[in-house]
Amino acid sequence: FSDVVGQENAVSILTSSIAQKKVSHAYLFSGGRGTGKTTVARIFAHDIGCNQEDIIEIDAASNRGIDEIRELRDAVRTSPFSSPYKIYIIDEAHMLTKEAANALLKTLEEPPAHVIFILATTDPEKLPATIVSRCQNIVFKVPSLETLAGRLMYVAKQEGKELDKVIALLIARHGKGSYRDALGVLEQVFAVSEKQITYEVVAALIEIGRAHV
């Protein structure tokens, strides 16, 4: 959690619940795309002692039907392999069909003691109120340009690169509030830059990216 920036409220809630051993059985992580919801979910899972084999990630955009949720309902009954919990991270949870959401609700109402659900969504308003009410809701903020630029400068330094603030702000602005998108651009920049990252290289990459949108 010490590597998570710009989401102090989310980190505070989760670390406090771990310290007090008051972990909820269902969380709703809501916020803009690329703000760290899935990453924080994975960190949380590991911090409560879950091994990778007991962390199940599901993309609701491509597994949104009732059959997939029925399979999940059957799977949650089995005990974890080697962890205190099985954690199900359901990304883009708002994409579930109405029938699938209703099926999931039945499991959320009476979850097995060894199961924790983390629903991640960019559009919580599309989730049924009945599901939202069963979850502890944690909102992920869209980072400011300053926060995002600072993170880019930190990552560049860790990689032995020199990135000044003006260029970092350019990349941050292109990222539009998404850590994932901004860091994706920075990764491309690393591939074609010497130690000193220049404005020209970054501007050219951003223009190429725009041309392919």
Side-chain angles (χ1 to χ4, degrees):
F1 278 122
S2 61
D3 285 332
V4 177
V5 296
Q7 303 299 349
E8 289 78 12
N9 182 62
V11 169
S12 176
I13 292 171
L14 294 171
T15 53
S16 177
S17 67
I18 294 171
Q20 297 176 30
K21 297 183 179 180
K22 293 182 178 179
V23 176
S24 297
H25 281 283
Y27 292 89
L28 175 62
F29 289 4
S30 60
R33 60 186 297 272
T35 50
K37 299 182 295 297
T38 304
T39 298
V40 168
R42 293 171 185 149
I43 295 171
F44 176 71
H46 286 292
D47 271 21
I48 62 173
C50 288
N51 296 318
Q52 194 60 45
E53 60 190 357
D54 289 312
I55 302 172
I56 301 97
E57 296 191 31
I58 299 169
D59 178 11
S62 54
N63 297 279
R64 60 195 301 263
I66 190 168
D67 290 338
E68 288 84 358
I69 298 302
R70 281 174 175 163
E71 289 177 11
L72 181 152
R73 287 175 56 190
D74 291 337
V76 299
R77 298 192 186 102
T78 62
S79 298
F81 287 103
S82 58
S83 312
Y85 299 100
K86 288 174 71 173
I87 290 196
Y88 287 86
I89 301 171
I90 304 178
D91 200 17
E92 298 299 341
H94 64 275
M95 297 290 287
L96 293 172
T97 65
K98 181 179 179 180
E99 294 76 15
N102 287 336
L104 177 62
L105 176 62
K106 293 180 180 179
T107 303
L108 292 178
E109 287 175 337
E110 297 181 2
H114 61 263
V115 170
I116 295 174
F117 287 98
I118 300 178
L119 312 184
T121 178
T122 55
D123 201 346
E125 290 78 14
K126 289 185 178 179
L127 278 168
T130 46
I131 284 184
V132 174
S133 67
R134 296 287 174 181
C135 302
Q136 182 174 354
N137 193 1
I138 299 179
V139 177
F140 283 67
K141 299 186 300 181
V142 174
S144 67
L145 282 176
E146 290 283 333
T147 297
L148 193 46
R151 186 59 177 175
L152 294 171
M153 293 169 71
Y154 169 80
V155 172
K157 185 177 180 179
Q158 295 298 110
E159 295 294 324
K161 302 284 188 179
E162 295 178 6
L163 175 67
D164 70 37
K165 190 170 182 178
V166 171
I167 302 174
L169 284 167
L170 174 65
I171 299 173
R173 200 170 288 112
H174 181 71
K176 297 179 180 178
S178 168
Y179 287 103
R180 182 174 59 239
D181 290 354
L183 288 168
V185 172
L186 188 62
E187 188 175 345
Q188 294 176 47
V189 170
F190 288 163
V192 296
S193 292
E194 301 298 329
K195 183 175 181 179
Q196 179 70 47
I197 296 173
T198 66
Y199 182 92
E200 289 75 18
V201 166
V202 173
L205 278 173
I206 289 175
E207 284 304 315
I208 290 171
R210 285 173 177 160
H212 285 83
V213 171

PDB file of all heavy atoms in Angstrom, residues 136-171:
ATOM      1  N   GLN A 136     -19.364  -2.550   1.081  1.00  0.00           N
ATOM      2  CA  GLN A 136     -18.725  -1.363   1.627  1.00  0.00           C
ATOM      3  C   GLN A 136     -18.178  -0.575   0.444  1.00  0.00           C
ATOM      4  O   GLN A 136     -17.315  -1.059  -0.284  1.00  0.00           O
ATOM      5  CB  GLN A 136     -17.593  -1.722   2.594  1.00  0.00           C
ATOM      6  CG  GLN A 136     -16.940  -0.490   3.203  1.00  0.00           C
ATOM      7  CD  GLN A 136     -15.920  -0.833   4.265  1.00  0.00           C
ATOM      8  OE1 GLN A 136     -15.759  -1.988   4.653  1.00  0.00           O
ATOM      9  NE2 GLN A 136     -15.197   0.173   4.751  1.00  0.00           N
ATOM     10  N   ASN A 137     -18.691   0.618   0.267  1.00  0.00           N
ATOM     11  CA  ASN A 137     -18.355   1.409  -0.923  1.00  0.00           C
ATOM     12  C   ASN A 137     -17.112   2.257  -0.685  1.00  0.00           C
ATOM     13  O   ASN A 137     -17.056   3.048   0.259  1.00  0.00           O
ATOM     14  CB  ASN A 137     -19.534   2.307  -1.299  1.00  0.00           C
ATOM     15  CG  ASN A 137     -19.379   2.915  -2.684  1.00  0.00           C
ATOM     16  OD1 ASN A 137     -18.408   2.654  -3.382  1.00  0.00           O
ATOM     17  ND2 ASN A 137     -20.338   3.725  -3.078  1.00  0.00           N
ATOM     18  N   ILE A 138     -16.117   2.097  -1.525  1.00  0.00           N
ATOM     19  CA  ILE A 138     -14.883   2.886  -1.449  1.00  0.00           C
ATOM     20  C   ILE A 138     -14.693   3.592  -2.787  1.00  0.00           C
ATOM     21  O   ILE A 138     -14.625   2.939  -3.831  1.00  0.00           O
ATOM     22  CB  ILE A 138     -13.672   1.998  -1.127  1.00  0.00           C
ATOM     23  CG1 ILE A 138     -13.873   1.326   0.248  1.00  0.00           C
ATOM     24  CG2 ILE A 138     -12.384   2.813  -1.138  1.00  0.00           C
ATOM     25  CD1 ILE A 138     -12.749   0.397   0.651  1.00  0.00           C
ATOM     26  N   VAL A 139     -14.636   4.909  -2.736  1.00  0.00           N
ATOM     27  CA  VAL A 139     -14.546   5.715  -3.954  1.00  0.00           C
ATOM     28  C   VAL A 139     -13.084   6.043  -4.250  1.00  0.00           C
ATOM     29  O   VAL A 139     -12.346   6.516  -3.374  1.00  0.00           O
ATOM     30  CB  VAL A 139     -15.364   7.015  -3.817  1.00  0.00           C
ATOM     31  CG1 VAL A 139     -15.213   7.879  -5.069  1.00  0.00           C
ATOM     32  CG2 VAL A 139     -16.841   6.683  -3.571  1.00  0.00           C
ATOM     33  N   PHE A 140     -12.670   5.808  -5.485  1.00  0.00           N
ATOM     34  CA  PHE A 140     -11.321   6.119  -5.941  1.00  0.00           C
ATOM     35  C   PHE A 140     -11.347   7.444  -6.704  1.00  0.00           C
ATOM     36  O   PHE A 140     -12.106   7.597  -7.656  1.00  0.00           O
ATOM     37  CB  PHE A 140     -10.789   4.997  -6.834  1.00  0.00           C
ATOM     38  CG  PHE A 140     -10.349   3.783  -6.073  1.00  0.00           C
ATOM     39  CD1 PHE A 140     -11.283   3.004  -5.391  1.00  0.00           C
ATOM     40  CD2 PHE A 140      -9.014   3.427  -6.017  1.00  0.00           C
ATOM     41  CE1 PHE A 140     -10.882   1.888  -4.667  1.00  0.00           C
ATOM     42  CE2 PHE A 140      -8.605   2.315  -5.301  1.00  0.00           C
ATOM     43  CZ  PHE A 140      -9.545   1.543  -4.620  1.00  0.00           C
ATOM     44  N   LYS A 141     -10.524   8.373  -6.258  1.00  0.00           N
ATOM     45  CA  LYS A 141     -10.514   9.713  -6.844  1.00  0.00           C
ATOM     46  C   LYS A 141      -9.708   9.748  -8.141  1.00  0.00           C
ATOM     47  O   LYS A 141      -8.716   9.036  -8.284  1.00  0.00           O
ATOM     48  CB  LYS A 141      -9.908  10.718  -5.865  1.00  0.00           C
ATOM     49  CG  LYS A 141     -10.649  10.865  -4.552  1.00  0.00           C
ATOM     50  CD  LYS A 141     -10.051  11.992  -3.732  1.00  0.00           C
ATOM     51  CE  LYS A 141      -8.589  11.742  -3.413  1.00  0.00           C
ATOM     52  NZ  LYS A 141      -7.993  12.839  -2.592  1.00  0.00           N
ATOM     53  N   VAL A 142     -10.130  10.606  -9.056  1.00  0.00           N
ATOM     54  CA  VAL A 142      -9.318  10.895 -10.238  1.00  0.00           C
ATOM     55  C   VAL A 142      -8.169  11.781  -9.773  1.00  0.00           C
ATOM     56  O   VAL A 142      -8.396  12.807  -9.138  1.00  0.00           O
ATOM     57  CB  VAL A 142     -10.147  11.622 -11.318  1.00  0.00           C
ATOM     58  CG1 VAL A 142      -9.256  12.048 -12.472  1.00  0.00           C
ATOM     59  CG2 VAL A 142     -11.267  10.722 -11.815  1.00  0.00           C
ATOM     60  N   PRO A 143      -6.920  11.391 -10.047  1.00  0.00           N
ATOM     61  CA  PRO A 143      -5.792  12.177  -9.543  1.00  0.00           C
ATOM     62  C   PRO A 143      -5.682  13.534 -10.225  1.00  0.00           C
ATOM     63  O   PRO A 143      -6.058  13.689 -11.389  1.00  0.00           O
ATOM     64  CB  PRO A 143      -4.580  11.300  -9.882  1.00  0.00           C
ATOM     65  CG  PRO A 143      -5.019  10.505 -11.068  1.00  0.00           C
ATOM     66  CD  PRO A 143      -6.479  10.227 -10.834  1.00  0.00           C
ATOM     67  N   SER A 144      -5.159  14.506  -9.497  1.00  0.00           N
ATOM     68  CA  SER A 144      -4.879  15.810 -10.101  1.00  0.00           C
ATOM     69  C   SER A 144      -3.700  15.679 -11.051  1.00  0.00           C
ATOM     70  O   SER A 144      -2.947  14.691 -11.008  1.00  0.00           O
ATOM     71  CB  SER A 144      -4.542  16.831  -9.005  1.00  0.00           C
ATOM     72  OG  SER A 144      -3.308  16.478  -8.381  1.00  0.00           O
ATOM     73  N   LEU A 145      -3.537  16.659 -11.923  1.00  0.00           N
ATOM     74  CA  LEU A 145      -2.391  16.642 -12.838  1.00  0.00           C
ATOM     75  C   LEU A 145      -1.079  16.618 -12.055  1.00  0.00           C
ATOM     76  O   LEU A 145      -0.133  15.924 -12.428  1.00  0.00           O
ATOM     77  CB  LEU A 145      -2.428  17.865 -13.751  1.00  0.00           C
ATOM     78  CG  LEU A 145      -3.401  17.827 -14.929  1.00  0.00           C
ATOM     79  CD1 LEU A 145      -3.370  19.163 -15.670  1.00  0.00           C
ATOM     80  CD2 LEU A 145      -3.057  16.690 -15.882  1.00  0.00           C
ATOM     81  N   GLU A 146      -1.033  17.365 -10.955  1.00  0.00           N
ATOM     82  CA  GLU A 146       0.177  17.419 -10.134  1.00  0.00           C
ATOM     83  C   GLU A 146       0.504  16.054  -9.549  1.00  0.00           C
ATOM     84  O   GLU A 146       1.658  15.619  -9.560  1.00  0.00           O
ATOM     85  CB  GLU A 146       0.000  18.451  -9.017  1.00  0.00           C
ATOM     86  CG  GLU A 146      -0.033  19.891  -9.482  1.00  0.00           C
ATOM     87  CD  GLU A 146       1.368  20.410  -9.811  1.00  0.00           C
ATOM     88  OE1 GLU A 146       2.338  19.912  -9.235  1.00  0.00           O
ATOM     89  OE2 GLU A 146       1.467  21.328 -10.650  1.00  0.00           O
ATOM     90  N   THR A 147      -0.514  15.376  -9.036  1.00  0.00           N
ATOM     91  CA  THR A 147      -0.301  14.063  -8.439  1.00  0.00           C
ATOM     92  C   THR A 147       0.167  13.058  -9.492  1.00  0.00           C
ATOM     93  O   THR A 147       1.102  12.289  -9.261  1.00  0.00           O
ATOM     94  CB  THR A 147      -1.600  13.550  -7.785  1.00  0.00           C
ATOM     95  OG1 THR A 147      -1.963  14.431  -6.725  1.00  0.00           O
ATOM     96  CG2 THR A 147      -1.421  12.144  -7.221  1.00  0.00           C
ATOM     97  N   LEU A 148      -0.484  13.091 -10.641  1.00  0.00           N
ATOM     98  CA  LEU A 148      -0.138  12.156 -11.713  1.00  0.00           C
ATOM     99  C   LEU A 148       1.266  12.436 -12.253  1.00  0.00           C
ATOM    100  O   LEU A 148       2.058  11.510 -12.482  1.00  0.00           O
ATOM    101  CB  LEU A 148      -1.185  12.258 -12.829  1.00  0.00           C
ATOM    102  CG  LEU A 148      -1.205  11.172 -13.908  1.00  0.00           C
ATOM    103  CD1 LEU A 148      -1.105   9.788 -13.307  1.00  0.00           C
ATOM    104  CD2 LEU A 148      -2.479  11.299 -14.737  1.00  0.00           C
ATOM    105  N   ALA A 149       1.590  13.713 -12.436  1.00  0.00           N
ATOM    106  CA  ALA A 149       2.927  14.076 -12.912  1.00  0.00           C
ATOM    107  C   ALA A 149       3.991  13.662 -11.901  1.00  0.00           C
ATOM    108  O   ALA A 149       5.060  13.153 -12.273  1.00  0.00           O
ATOM    109  CB  ALA A 149       3.002  15.574 -13.172  1.00  0.00           C
ATOM    110  N   GLY A 150       3.689  13.848 -10.614  1.00  0.00           N
ATOM    111  CA  GLY A 150       4.632  13.447  -9.578  1.00  0.00           C
ATOM    112  C   GLY A 150       4.903  11.957  -9.598  1.00  0.00           C
ATOM    113  O   GLY A 150       6.042  11.508  -9.400  1.00  0.00           O
ATOM    114  N   ARG A 151       3.859  11.185  -9.856  1.00  0.00           N
ATOM    115  CA  ARG A 151       4.029   9.736  -9.929  1.00  0.00           C
ATOM    116  C   ARG A 151       4.896   9.345 -11.122  1.00  0.00           C
ATOM    117  O   ARG A 151       5.751   8.455 -11.019  1.00  0.00           O
ATOM    118  CB  ARG A 151       2.664   9.056 -10.037  1.00  0.00           C
ATOM    119  CG  ARG A 151       2.709   7.529  -9.979  1.00  0.00           C
ATOM    120  CD  ARG A 151       3.331   7.080  -8.676  1.00  0.00           C
ATOM    121  NE  ARG A 151       3.330   5.631  -8.544  1.00  0.00           N
ATOM    122  CZ  ARG A 151       3.907   4.981  -7.537  1.00  0.00           C
ATOM    123  NH1 ARG A 151       4.517   5.656  -6.583  1.00  0.00           N
ATOM    124  NH2 ARG A 151       3.885   3.666  -7.477  1.00  0.00           N
ATOM    125  N   LEU A 152       4.681  10.010 -12.240  1.00  0.00           N
ATOM    126  CA  LEU A 152       5.474   9.725 -13.438  1.00  0.00           C
ATOM    127  C   LEU A 152       6.948  10.046 -13.203  1.00  0.00           C
ATOM    128  O   LEU A 152       7.836   9.295 -13.612  1.00  0.00           O
ATOM    129  CB  LEU A 152       4.940  10.540 -14.616  1.00  0.00           C
ATOM    130  CG  LEU A 152       3.526  10.190 -15.098  1.00  0.00           C
ATOM    131  CD1 LEU A 152       3.049  11.214 -16.107  1.00  0.00           C
ATOM    132  CD2 LEU A 152       3.468   8.787 -15.683  1.00  0.00           C
ATOM    133  N   MET A 153       7.212  11.146 -12.531  1.00  0.00           N
ATOM    134  CA  MET A 153       8.589  11.530 -12.233  1.00  0.00           C
ATOM    135  C   MET A 153       9.247  10.520 -11.294  1.00  0.00           C
ATOM    136  O   MET A 153      10.422  10.181 -11.441  1.00  0.00           O
ATOM    137  CB  MET A 153       8.621  12.941 -11.642  1.00  0.00           C
ATOM    138  CG  MET A 153       8.204  14.025 -12.633  1.00  0.00           C
ATOM    139  SD  MET A 153       7.930  15.650 -11.868  1.00  0.00           S
ATOM    140  CE  MET A 153       9.624  16.090 -11.462  1.00  0.00           C
ATOM    141  N   TYR A 154       8.472  10.026 -10.332  1.00  0.00           N
ATOM    142  CA  TYR A 154       8.991   9.013  -9.399  1.00  0.00           C
ATOM    143  C   TYR A 154       9.347   7.724 -10.139  1.00  0.00           C
ATOM    144  O   TYR A 154      10.427   7.158  -9.936  1.00  0.00           O
ATOM    145  CB  TYR A 154       7.943   8.729  -8.323  1.00  0.00           C
ATOM    146  CG  TYR A 154       8.255   7.511  -7.470  1.00  0.00           C
ATOM    147  CD1 TYR A 154       9.164   7.589  -6.421  1.00  0.00           C
ATOM    148  CD2 TYR A 154       7.632   6.287  -7.727  1.00  0.00           C
ATOM    149  CE1 TYR A 154       9.455   6.475  -5.647  1.00  0.00           C
ATOM    150  CE2 TYR A 154       7.922   5.168  -6.962  1.00  0.00           C
ATOM    151  CZ  TYR A 154       8.832   5.268  -5.921  1.00  0.00           C
ATOM    152  OH  TYR A 154       9.128   4.160  -5.169  1.00  0.00           O
ATOM    153  N   VAL A 155       8.443   7.260 -11.003  1.00  0.00           N
ATOM    154  CA  VAL A 155       8.688   6.023 -11.761  1.00  0.00           C
ATOM    155  C   VAL A 155       9.906   6.188 -12.662  1.00  0.00           C
ATOM    156  O   VAL A 155      10.749   5.289 -12.763  1.00  0.00           O
ATOM    157  CB  VAL A 155       7.439   5.630 -12.583  1.00  0.00           C
ATOM    158  CG1 VAL A 155       7.753   4.468 -13.524  1.00  0.00           C
ATOM    159  CG2 VAL A 155       6.292   5.253 -11.654  1.00  0.00           C
ATOM    160  N   ALA A 156      10.005   7.341 -13.320  1.00  0.00           N
ATOM    161  CA  ALA A 156      11.148   7.590 -14.201  1.00  0.00           C
ATOM    162  C   ALA A 156      12.456   7.540 -13.417  1.00  0.00           C
ATOM    163  O   ALA A 156      13.445   6.938 -13.858  1.00  0.00           O
ATOM    164  CB  ALA A 156      10.989   8.948 -14.889  1.00  0.00           C
ATOM    165  N   LYS A 157      12.458   8.136 -12.253  1.00  0.00           N
ATOM    166  CA  LYS A 157      13.667   8.130 -11.416  1.00  0.00           C
ATOM    167  C   LYS A 157      14.045   6.710 -11.015  1.00  0.00           C
ATOM    168  O   LYS A 157      15.225   6.345 -11.023  1.00  0.00           O
ATOM    169  CB  LYS A 157      13.435   8.987 -10.170  1.00  0.00           C
ATOM    170  CG  LYS A 157      14.677   9.135  -9.298  1.00  0.00           C
ATOM    171  CD  LYS A 157      14.407  10.053  -8.111  1.00  0.00           C
ATOM    172  CE  LYS A 157      15.656  10.192  -7.245  1.00  0.00           C
ATOM    173  NZ  LYS A 157      15.423  11.100  -6.091  1.00  0.00           N
ATOM    174  N   GLN A 158      13.032   5.900 -10.674  1.00  0.00           N
ATOM    175  CA  GLN A 158      13.290   4.511 -10.296  1.00  0.00           C
ATOM    176  C   GLN A 158      13.916   3.725 -11.448  1.00  0.00           C
ATOM    177  O   GLN A 158      14.655   2.769 -11.238  1.00  0.00           O
ATOM    178  CB  GLN A 158      11.986   3.824  -9.859  1.00  0.00           C
ATOM    179  CG  GLN A 158      11.361   4.387  -8.601  1.00  0.00           C
ATOM    180  CD  GLN A 158      12.255   4.253  -7.381  1.00  0.00           C
ATOM    181  OE1 GLN A 158      12.780   5.218  -6.855  1.00  0.00           O
ATOM    182  NE2 GLN A 158      12.449   3.028  -6.928  1.00  0.00           N
ATOM    183  N   GLU A 159      13.593   4.147 -12.679  1.00  0.00           N
ATOM    184  CA  GLU A 159      14.107   3.465 -13.874  1.00  0.00           C
ATOM    185  C   GLU A 159      15.399   4.087 -14.396  1.00  0.00           C
ATOM    186  O   GLU A 159      15.875   3.723 -15.472  1.00  0.00           O
ATOM    187  CB  GLU A 159      13.046   3.483 -14.978  1.00  0.00           C
ATOM    188  CG  GLU A 159      11.783   2.702 -14.652  1.00  0.00           C
ATOM    189  CD  GLU A 159      12.038   1.209 -14.525  1.00  0.00           C
ATOM    190  OE1 GLU A 159      12.884   0.684 -15.273  1.00  0.00           O
ATOM    191  OE2 GLU A 159      11.388   0.570 -13.672  1.00  0.00           O
ATOM    192  N   GLY A 160      15.939   5.046 -13.632  1.00  0.00           N
ATOM    193  CA  GLY A 160      17.192   5.666 -14.038  1.00  0.00           C
ATOM    194  C   GLY A 160      17.044   6.684 -15.159  1.00  0.00           C
ATOM    195  O   GLY A 160      18.008   6.978 -15.875  1.00  0.00           O
ATOM    196  N   LYS A 161      15.844   7.224 -15.319  1.00  0.00           N
ATOM    197  CA  LYS A 161      15.587   8.216 -16.368  1.00  0.00           C
ATOM    198  C   LYS A 161      15.389   9.597 -15.737  1.00  0.00           C
ATOM    199  O   LYS A 161      14.999   9.718 -14.572  1.00  0.00           O
ATOM    200  CB  LYS A 161      14.332   7.847 -17.159  1.00  0.00           C
ATOM    201  CG  LYS A 161      14.370   6.472 -17.812  1.00  0.00           C
ATOM    202  CD  LYS A 161      15.238   6.451 -19.054  1.00  0.00           C
ATOM    203  CE  LYS A 161      15.098   5.127 -19.790  1.00  0.00           C
ATOM    204  NZ  LYS A 161      15.915   5.098 -21.028  1.00  0.00           N
ATOM    205  N   GLU A 162      15.644  10.624 -16.525  1.00  0.00           N
ATOM    206  CA  GLU A 162      15.440  11.994 -16.073  1.00  0.00           C
ATOM    207  C   GLU A 162      14.230  12.584 -16.784  1.00  0.00           C
ATOM    208  O   GLU A 162      14.221  12.717 -18.016  1.00  0.00           O
ATOM    209  CB  GLU A 162      16.692  12.833 -16.360  1.00  0.00           C
ATOM    210  CG  GLU A 162      17.912  12.378 -15.565  1.00  0.00           C
ATOM    211  CD  GLU A 162      19.160  13.181 -15.892  1.00  0.00           C
ATOM    212  OE1 GLU A 162      19.039  14.177 -16.653  1.00  0.00           O
ATOM    213  OE2 GLU A 162      20.242  12.814 -15.399  1.00  0.00           O
ATOM    214  N   LEU A 163      13.214  12.922 -16.004  1.00  0.00           N
ATOM    215  CA  LEU A 163      11.957  13.447 -16.551  1.00  0.00           C
ATOM    216  C   LEU A 163      11.623  14.732 -15.814  1.00  0.00           C
ATOM    217  O   LEU A 163      11.359  14.706 -14.614  1.00  0.00           O
ATOM    218  CB  LEU A 163      10.838  12.411 -16.362  1.00  0.00           C
ATOM    219  CG  LEU A 163       9.421  12.827 -16.768  1.00  0.00           C
ATOM    220  CD1 LEU A 163       9.330  13.023 -18.274  1.00  0.00           C
ATOM    221  CD2 LEU A 163       8.414  11.776 -16.310  1.00  0.00           C
ATOM    222  N   ASP A 164      11.648  15.865 -16.523  1.00  0.00           N
ATOM    223  CA  ASP A 164      11.339  17.110 -15.816  1.00  0.00           C
ATOM    224  C   ASP A 164       9.827  17.316 -15.732  1.00  0.00           C
ATOM    225  O   ASP A 164       9.040  16.649 -16.413  1.00  0.00           O
ATOM    226  CB  ASP A 164      12.056  18.313 -16.432  1.00  0.00           C
ATOM    227  CG  ASP A 164      11.516  18.701 -17.809  1.00  0.00           C
ATOM    228  OD1 ASP A 164      10.298  18.613 -18.027  1.00  0.00           O
ATOM    229  OD2 ASP A 164      12.319  19.105 -18.668  1.00  0.00           O
ATOM    230  N   LYS A 165       9.440  18.251 -14.881  1.00  0.00           N
ATOM    231  CA  LYS A 165       8.025  18.402 -14.545  1.00  0.00           C
ATOM    232  C   LYS A 165       7.174  18.838 -15.735  1.00  0.00           C
ATOM    233  O   LYS A 165       6.027  18.401 -15.873  1.00  0.00           O
ATOM    234  CB  LYS A 165       7.868  19.398 -13.401  1.00  0.00           C
ATOM    235  CG  LYS A 165       6.461  19.425 -12.823  1.00  0.00           C
ATOM    236  CD  LYS A 165       6.377  20.224 -11.545  1.00  0.00           C
ATOM    237  CE  LYS A 165       4.972  20.175 -10.977  1.00  0.00           C
ATOM    238  NZ  LYS A 165       4.864  20.918  -9.702  1.00  0.00           N
ATOM    239  N   VAL A 166       7.705  19.685 -16.597  1.00  0.00           N
ATOM    240  CA  VAL A 166       6.931  20.156 -17.758  1.00  0.00           C
ATOM    241  C   VAL A 166       6.538  18.974 -18.646  1.00  0.00           C
ATOM    242  O   VAL A 166       5.392  18.867 -19.094  1.00  0.00           O
ATOM    243  CB  VAL A 166       7.738  21.189 -18.571  1.00  0.00           C
ATOM    244  CG1 VAL A 166       7.028  21.503 -19.880  1.00  0.00           C
ATOM    245  CG2 VAL A 166       7.931  22.468 -17.765  1.00  0.00           C
ATOM    246  N   ILE A 167       7.479  18.071 -18.882  1.00  0.00           N
ATOM    247  CA  ILE A 167       7.194  16.901 -19.722  1.00  0.00           C
ATOM    248  C   ILE A 167       6.271  15.930 -18.991  1.00  0.00           C
ATOM    249  O   ILE A 167       5.368  15.330 -19.588  1.00  0.00           O
ATOM    250  CB  ILE A 167       8.503  16.205 -20.137  1.00  0.00           C
ATOM    251  CG1 ILE A 167       9.409  17.187 -20.885  1.00  0.00           C
ATOM    252  CG2 ILE A 167       8.217  14.998 -21.025  1.00  0.00           C
ATOM    253  CD1 ILE A 167      10.783  16.646 -21.219  1.00  0.00           C
ATOM    254  N   ALA A 168       6.484  15.793 -17.673  1.00  0.00           N
ATOM    255  CA  ALA A 168       5.616  14.917 -16.878  1.00  0.00           C
ATOM    256  C   ALA A 168       4.171  15.415 -16.917  1.00  0.00           C
ATOM    257  O   ALA A 168       3.225  14.625 -17.034  1.00  0.00           O
ATOM    258  CB  ALA A 168       6.113  14.845 -15.436  1.00  0.00           C
ATOM    259  N   LEU A 169       3.994  16.723 -16.855  1.00  0.00           N
ATOM    260  CA  LEU A 169       2.644  17.303 -16.923  1.00  0.00           C
ATOM    261  C   LEU A 169       2.014  17.068 -18.291  1.00  0.00           C
ATOM    262  O   LEU A 169       0.802  16.862 -18.398  1.00  0.00           O
ATOM    263  CB  LEU A 169       2.687  18.799 -16.607  1.00  0.00           C
ATOM    264  CG  LEU A 169       2.862  19.163 -15.130  1.00  0.00           C
ATOM    265  CD1 LEU A 169       3.196  20.635 -14.978  1.00  0.00           C
ATOM    266  CD2 LEU A 169       1.584  18.816 -14.347  1.00  0.00           C
ATOM    267  N   LEU A 170       2.822  17.094 -19.340  1.00  0.00           N
ATOM    268  CA  LEU A 170       2.321  16.817 -20.695  1.00  0.00           C
ATOM    269  C   LEU A 170       1.768  15.391 -20.773  1.00  0.00           C
ATOM    270  O   LEU A 170       0.663  15.177 -21.289  1.00  0.00           O
ATOM    271  CB  LEU A 170       3.444  17.000 -21.714  1.00  0.00           C
ATOM    272  CG  LEU A 170       3.120  16.602 -23.169  1.00  0.00           C
ATOM    273  CD1 LEU A 170       2.043  17.514 -23.737  1.00  0.00           C
ATOM    274  CD2 LEU A 170       4.381  16.664 -24.032  1.00  0.00           C
ATOM    275  N   ILE A 171       2.519  14.448 -20.246  1.00  0.00           N
ATOM    276  CA  ILE A 171       2.058  13.050 -20.254  1.00  0.00           C
ATOM    277  C   ILE A 171       0.830  12.895 -19.365  1.00  0.00           C
ATOM    278  O   ILE A 171      -0.138  12.211 -19.723  1.00  0.00           O
ATOM    279  CB  ILE A 171       3.185  12.110 -19.768  1.00  0.00           C
ATOM    280  CG1 ILE A 171       4.402  12.207 -20.690  1.00  0.00           C
ATOM    281  CG2 ILE A 171       2.677  10.668 -19.717  1.00  0.00           C
ATOM    282  CD1 ILE A 171       5.610  11.426 -20.183  1.00  0.00           C
TER     283      ILE A 171
END
